[in-house]
Amino acid sequence: MARVQIETPQAWLFRARLAVRVSDVNYGGHLGNDRVLGLAHEARVMWLSSLGLSEKDVGGAGLIMADAALLFRAEAFLGDELDVDLGVTEVRRSGFELVYRLTRVSDAAEIAVVKTGMVCFDYAARKVARVPESFATLLGSQA
């Protein structure tokens, strides 16, 4: 099986510092794969909040996650502080791709790289929507 490839952005737009919590650790004693996606979600919410936006409203539409991919580079453990860098790699008519890089603060070890395909969604009509113009401008200037 071919390994997943994730293109990283030319520039990172946002950095969140998050700690690995006891609920993030699995039976192997390290950060669980499902929790890596949770940390990416937390960073995305923080980024949107810093822009005065939310996943329910990015200027007239909400967001849903269409797909996700994760690359694991190293283990992280309870109490580790992680920097989660976030960037945009592609903007399309109804969606965009976000990439997240998780790095341990204490030794700069890259823990994981995550990609999420985000789609704009009209929750009232229950259908895919165009990226709002104001948000597209923001993403376009950041991609």
Side-chain angles (χ1 to χ4, degrees):
M1 178 168 76
R3 297 281 312 241
V4 170
Q5 301 286 324
I6 297 176
E7 174 190 342
T8 56
Q10 293 182 4
W12 300 102
L13 310 173
F14 182 79
R15 174 174 282 172
R17 182 158 291 174
L18 302 171
V20 177
R21 303 163 304 168
V22 69
S23 60
D24 297 328
V25 176
N26 65 17
Y27 61 86
H30 54 233
L31 177 62
N33 58 5
D34 57 326
R35 298 310 307 150
V36 171
L37 198 55
L39 293 172
H41 184 196
E42 184 74 25
R44 182 173 64 250
V45 168
M46 293 170 73
W47 168 63
L48 290 168
S49 179
S50 77
L51 299 171
L53 303 170
S54 74
E55 290 187 318
K56 291 288 245 171
D57 186 3
V58 293
L63 297 176
I64 58 173
M65 185 186 309
D67 57 60
L70 294 87
L71 294 173
F72 298 99
R73 304 286 194 213
E75 294 176 293
F77 302 97
L78 178 63
D80 280 351
E81 285 191 306
L82 304 177
D83 278 338
V84 183
D85 295 309
L86 178 148
V88 178
T89 58
E90 184 178 333
V91 180
R92 297 175 304 281
R93 180 179 178 269
S94 297
F96 55 97
E97 291 187 355
L98 293 177
V99 174
Y100 318 75
R101 178 181 61 194
L102 285 70
T103 306
R104 187 172 29 244
V105 173
S106 65
D107 62 0
E110 186 176 79
I111 304 302
V113 179
V114 179
K115 186 222 44 118
T116 58
M118 305 302 297
V119 174
C120 288
F121 193 73
D122 180 335
Y123 280 93
R126 309 303 302 171
K127 66 179 187 175
V128 172
R130 291 185 77 107
V131 175
E133 188 176 324
S134 59
F135 192 58
T137 299
L138 176 70
L139 292 172
S141 68
Q142 298 178 352

